[in-house]
Amino acid sequence: MEPGARLCLALCLAGVLPAPGCRGAPGRFAYKLLHELFANYSSALRPVEDTDRALNVTLKVTLAQIIDMDERNQVLTSYLWVRQTWLDAHLTWDKDEYGGIDSIRIPSSYVWRPDIILYNNADERFGGSMETNVVLRSDGHVTWDSPAITKSSCKVDVSYFPFDGQQCRLTFGSWTHNGNQIDLRNQLDSGDLTDFVENVEWEVLGMPATRNVITYGCCSEPYPDVTFTLLLRRRASFYIFNLLLPCIMVSFLAPLGFYLPADSGEKVSLGVTVLLALTVFQLLVAESMPPSESVPLIGEPGLGSGLARGQRGPCGERDPPCPLPAPAAPAGKYYIATMTMITASTALTIFIMNVHHCGPGARPVPPWARRLILHHMARLCCVYEVGESCKGPRRAAGGREAAGESPAEGQVGAEVRGCPWHHCLCHHEALLRNVGYIAGCFRRHRANQRRAGEWKRVAKVMDRFFMWVFFLMVFLMSVLVLGNAA
């Protein structure tokens, strides 16, 4: 240091000279320091005294924000603050010789920087960190803080979508230097989350950091890397109110088709309408569902996004592109179960309507069906005729009504059979034949009506029975979905 500069600095520190008189001294020292430090410095070589020794580089990552999670392409976009610290043996100085300057901030392009990159980078432009300044200290320690918006590949598992959790890894390492040249280590046991901005869709549970030393097939030297595992859990409230609850409400409309009267003509229409509504709703939300080989709880995953980008190994060799899974877009478990149930209910409704509209030529109800459906199932479902109750005794199907003979017909027959033959003034034989024919037609008509009524009653009992069965199925299916999510 020049004698005049030393005297000026001493007088300023002692308070003899006013401070404005010494404001230019540190600036001149900083200019002189910068000029002398980089007079014979090269940023192309690794800054070590012994080329056989590894240079220690410390890495610290701060997660500032999760910008986007693209489940369809399996890409995580995040905003990171990356801090790298190392010792440059060629950039040291005696701070007393330069006006007590302990640190300077210079452009990062002036100094040597480690080629630490994100291994699982999925950005098509492959952009790195920003060209920010570095902090250079008198003992040679260099600190480089740079913000970066990274796109990293993340394997997405949507088996429990929308109640799923994801593990996205951010692997940092040197691209050309092996472990014998750069010893990369993590500064903390986990990523820094103190400045994290909360995401509306994902909740961050943690970000543990691990150091790995891997020997790749291309090279015999070890390559250390630091992997930060981002633990995410999806906030499911949005999907519950927009996907799950509408599907449950539509599902509960399907069993109500059995409650409609068969003569209304709307039973099949309701089932088909519900099925079409669920299909249209599923197509509307299919765009937001992630693709996966595993079938999610709800939703419909789309197709895979083709070939993955070619990745490079640490020595620069390009691996062949690997195809992403491209399933045939199976529907979600809950959606496919609901659509299957609605299809089955519509088919059963058609069958029951066929039973209800059995004509006069139908066969009588079999004894086993009369005993099982009209007796046991009718009591179970509380289906009874007018004047009956589900707890009261049932009328026995027998006697004159079972034989198809009414009391009036019996009286007419008795009168005909008791007709005094010697008092008939007409041709009684022709009259008896006509009366017998009319009575036979009436009995056959009553028998056909009774047979058709029995089939209608069978259809009504089956309607109520399947209505409760499908209500129970919808309830159990909803409980199972929520239970699996829990």
Side-chain angles (χ1 to χ4, degrees):
M1 181 181 293
E2 299 178 359
R6 292 184 179 180
L7 178 60
C8 180
L9 178 61
L11 293 177
C12 288
L13 294 177
V16 176
L17 292 179
C22 298
R23 285 178 181 174
R28 292 197 301 270
F29 291 139
Y31 180 81
K32 179 182 178 181
L33 173 63
L34 182 64
H35 178 72
E36 293 181 355
L37 278 178
F38 293 95
N40 297 317
Y41 181 82
S42 175
S43 61
L45 299 178
R46 191 166 53 97
V48 291
E49 294 290 348
D50 187 1
T51 56
D52 294 333
R53 299 184 60 182
L55 177 64
N56 295 326
V57 178
T58 304
L59 181 65
K60 176 185 176 183
V61 172
T62 300
L63 179 63
Q65 185 181 3
I66 295 176
I67 299 177
D68 181 41
M69 168 64 95
D70 188 358
E71 295 96 338
R72 182 172 295 276
N73 297 317
Q74 303 188 65
V75 174
L76 171 67
T77 305
S78 55
Y79 178 37
L80 305 177
W81 298 343
V82 182
R83 168 173 289 188
Q84 303 177 43
T85 307
W86 65 93
L87 178 62
D88 195 322
H90 303 310
L91 297 178
T92 60
W93 71 90
D94 186 2
K95 59 183 178 181
D96 294 333
E97 295 183 0
Y98 296 94
I101 297 178
D102 183 56
S103 63
I104 57 174
R105 287 160 176 81
I106 57 177
S108 59
S109 59
Y110 285 17
V111 302
W112 176 89
R113 295 171 296 178
D115 55 345
I116 306 298
I117 66 168
L118 182 63
Y119 278 176
N120 55 334
N121 196 338
D123 192 356
E124 57 185 7
R125 295 176 299 177
F126 218 93
S129 303
M130 293 181 61
E131 295 293 333
T132 57
N133 292 339
V134 298
V135 179
L136 179 60
R137 300 192 179 277
S138 60
D139 56 358
H141 281 90
V142 182
T143 302
W144 183 25
D145 289 325
S146 61
I149 297 179
T150 62
K151 291 184 177 182
S152 58
S153 58
C154 177
K155 184 178 180 180
V156 179
D157 183 12
V158 292
S159 299
Y160 294 97
F161 178 85
F163 307 98
D164 57 328
Q166 305 298 334
Q167 295 185 4
C168 295
R169 292 176 173 82
L170 303 172
T171 302
F172 294 89
S174 175
W175 191 248
T176 58
H177 296 89
N178 55 46
N180 300 325
Q181 297 170 338
I182 290 183
D183 186 13
L184 181 63
R185 295 185 178 274
N186 49 305
Q187 182 176 349
L188 302 175
D189 293 335
S190 64
D192 190 4
L193 300 176
T194 54
D195 297 318
F196 176 70
V197 179
E198 293 292 334
N199 188 268
V200 295
E201 184 179 1
W202 296 95
E203 178 183 0
V204 178
L205 304 180
M207 193 178 179
T210 57
R211 180 179 181 269
N212 307 305
V213 179
I214 302 176
T215 301
Y216 295 93
C218 65
C219 314
S220 59
E221 297 84 2
Y223 283 84
D225 63 68
V226 177
T227 300
F228 295 87
T229 304
L230 189 58
L231 306 178
L232 303 175
R233 182 171 62 189
R234 193 188 302 270
R235 303 180 189 270
S237 300
F238 173 82
Y239 299 97
I240 289 176
F241 288 103
N242 291 275
L243 297 182
L244 193 56
L245 287 183
C247 183
I248 292 177
M249 290 187 291
V250 170
S251 302
F252 273 100
L253 290 178
L256 293 179
F258 294 106
Y259 192 74
L260 280 175
D263 296 331
S264 63
E266 300 293 335
K267 293 173 69 68
V268 179
S269 300
L270 178 61
V272 174
T273 303
V274 171
L275 184 60
L276 291 178
L278 185 62
T279 304
V280 172
F281 179 78
Q282 182 180 359
L283 293 177
L284 291 176
V285 301
E287 295 298 328
S288 62
M289 296 298 103
S292 176
E293 292 181 353
S294 57
V295 182
L297 285 179
I298 67 173
E300 180 180 1
L303 295 176
S305 58
L307 298 179
R309 301 175 179 87
Q311 303 292 332
R312 288 182 178 268
C315 296
E317 288 79 7
R318 180 177 296 274
D319 298 330
C322 55
L324 292 177
K333 296 178 182 177
Y334 189 75
Y335 275 167
I336 195 64
T338 303
M339 296 179 68
T340 304
M341 185 197 67
I342 295 176
T343 304
S345 65
T346 306
L348 285 174
T349 300
I350 296 174
F351 171 74
I352 293 174
M353 288 189 64
N354 189 22
V355 173
H356 176 83
H357 291 285
C358 284
R363 294 179 300 175
V365 178
W368 65 267
R370 184 181 293 108
R371 183 171 57 254
L372 176 63
I373 298 177
L374 298 182
H375 182 69
H376 298 290
M377 290 178 57
R379 284 183 173 272
L380 180 64
C381 301
C382 286
V383 179
Y384 51 90
E385 296 179 352
V386 179
E388 295 180 348
S389 67
C390 52
K391 294 184 179 180
R394 297 189 171 270
R395 293 179 295 180
R400 293 182 180 268
E401 290 183 323
E405 183 180 354
S406 64
E409 295 173 2
Q411 293 177 3
V412 172
E415 292 179 359
V416 172
R417 289 191 296 269
C419 177
W421 291 77
H422 56 281
H423 291 93
C424 289
L425 302 177
C426 60
H427 303 283
H428 58 277
E429 293 183 359
L431 179 62
L432 289 176
R433 285 196 302 269
N434 293 334
V435 171
Y437 176 77
I438 295 174
C441 292
F442 185 74
R443 284 194 297 269
R444 287 191 297 270
H445 178 69
R446 290 292 302 273
N448 292 335
Q449 284 186 338
R450 187 178 63 256
R451 192 179 303 118
E454 285 185 349
W455 282 116
K456 290 182 179 179
R457 193 176 173 199
V458 168
K460 184 177 181 181
V461 173
M462 293 176 64
D463 263 335
R464 298 299 169 84
F465 176 75
F466 284 118
M467 181 187 72
W468 292 114
V469 168
F470 277 87
F471 266 128
L472 183 62
M473 290 174 58
V474 172
F475 176 76
L476 291 179
M477 195 164 50
S478 304
V479 171
L480 286 178
V481 170
L482 298 178
N484 288 333

